[in-house]
Amino acid sequence: MSKRSPLASPPARLLFPAFLALALGGCQTAGIEDVTGALGVRSETAAKADARPELDALRERYRAKPSDPNVALAYGKALRESGQRAQAVAVMEQAVLAHPSNKALLAGYGRALADSGSFQQAFDVLSRAHTPEDPDWRILSAQGAALDQLGRNEEAQQYYAAALKIVPDEPTVLSNLGLSYMLQNNLPKAEQVLGRAYQRNQNDARIRANLALVLGLQGREAEAEILVKADLPPDQAAAKVAALRQLLAKKQQQRADK
């Protein structure tokens, strides 16, 4: 494989990994969802309820000043967080058309596209949100996540490596990198990297869930359940363990069908 700049736009298109399609439901990082969505700590309904008052206020501000890039960015983010993905894309698209060189808007637009499942377009837009001379590690990680969801895992890992040169041992980037290895079925490497992420931030529930998933895929369900249950009330812990077991059962069925 030839060397490629992490900010270059790779031309190859590969198939989206089947397991990722099964497990998606809720990023890690930069607004792009990872495979632990089904294990999220808080329900989507609760998140929407918490965001509603802020969203209503931002909607009024946006209607009053639709050309204000800061208002559009905040409103788009609130729409994404409330699950209104198509509307978030529409708001961010209009903002970018009005301010095509605004890198913050481009980053927000790319993340909204990724949330809506338009991963190739998200990658292309995110590529315009920073430059090789002034790279943003968060955008590099988001680009890597988009590539992973396109099935381009080795390319994705180049982006995570570039991000980690800027912020060594950043747990959110390590978590995405670990998931990338998992999608390649390199479970020992995934565990190693996710273990590093967990050591750097043991309080991040998504990192714990990612590590639990990889442990469970290796048959270490008892260890996985301990991580999933951490800091959760008994009823929520039971629900997360059930979600983990469901994901593992799907993966095992996939293997049996091959």
Side-chain angles (χ1 to χ4, degrees), residues 174-175 177-183 185-196 210-211 214 218:
L174 288 172
S175 186
L177 177 58
L179 290 173
S180 185
Y181 285 126
M182 187 203 73
L183 292 172
N185 207 32
N186 188 345
L187 299 182
K189 185 68 173 178
E191 180 188 347
Q192 177 189 3
V193 174
L194 285 165
R196 284 170 57 198
N210 293 343
L211 179 56
V214 170
Q218 296 177 91

Side-chain angles (χ1 to χ4, degrees), residues 110-132:
R111 287 163 178 156
L113 287 166
D115 281 354
S116 70
S118 300
F119 301 117
Q120 182 61 59
Q121 190 179 358
F123 177 84
D124 294 340
V125 169
L126 289 167
S127 297
R128 295 162 50 201
H130 63 160
T131 65

Side-chain angles (χ1 to χ4, degrees), residues 86-110:
Q87 192 171 350
V89 169
V91 167
M92 296 311 302
E93 183 177 26
Q94 290 302 310
V96 166
L97 287 173
H99 307 276
S101 61
N102 186 311
K103 292 193 181 335
L105 288 178
L106 286 166
Y109 183 33

Side-chain angles (χ1 to χ4, degrees), residues 26-221:
C27 137
Q28 176 69 57
T29 58
I32 293 182
E33 298 172 338
D34 61 26
V35 296
T36 63
L39 302 179
V41 173
R42 303 178 66 240
S43 71
E44 187 175 346
T45 302
K48 287 181 181 180
D50 289 349
R52 194 168 295 121
E54 179 186 3
L55 181 61
D56 290 343
L58 283 169
R59 182 180 294 109
E60 294 306 314
R61 289 177 60 196
Y62 179 72
R63 287 173 176 170
K65 294 183 176 180
S67 62
D68 187 320
N70 294 324
V71 172
L73 188 62
Y75 183 42
K77 181 180 178 183
L79 286 168
R80 284 173 46 222
E81 291 175 348
S82 70
Q84 300 180 54
R85 297 172 181 175
Q87 192 171 350
V89 169
V91 167
M92 296 311 302
E93 183 177 26
Q94 290 302 310
V96 166
L97 287 173
H99 307 276
S101 61
N102 186 311
K103 292 193 181 335
L105 288 178
L106 286 166
Y109 183 33
R111 287 163 178 156
L113 287 166
D115 281 354
S116 70
S118 300
F119 301 117
Q120 182 61 59
Q121 190 179 358
F123 177 84
D124 294 340
V125 169
L126 289 167
S127 297
R128 295 162 50 201
H130 63 160
T131 65
E133 297 75 26
D134 187 22
D136 184 320
W137 68 266
R138 294 174 182 84
I139 296 175
L140 286 168
S141 187
Q143 287 178 281
L147 287 169
D148 267 329
Q149 296 191 72
L150 289 165
R152 292 153 59 175
N153 308 115
E154 291 185 5
E155 294 173 55
Q157 290 158 20
Q158 294 181 20
Y159 282 78
Y160 300 135
L164 289 168
K165 287 180 180 178
I166 301 171
V167 282
D169 285 332
E170 164 58 40
T172 58
V173 181
L174 288 172
S175 186
N176 276 356
L177 177 58
L179 290 173
S180 185
Y181 285 126
M182 187 203 73
L183 292 172
Q184 289 182 311
N185 207 32
N186 188 345
L187 299 182
K189 185 68 173 178
E191 180 188 347
Q192 177 189 3
V193 174
L194 285 165
R196 284 170 57 198
Y198 178 67
Q199 289 301 318
R200 296 287 295 177
N201 187 358
Q202 297 186 15
N203 295 321
D204 190 316
R206 289 171 299 187
I207 292 175
R208 288 201 308 267
N210 293 343
L211 179 56
L213 181 59
V214 170
L215 290 172
L217 290 172
Q218 296 177 91
R220 292 152 60 187
E221 292 191 21

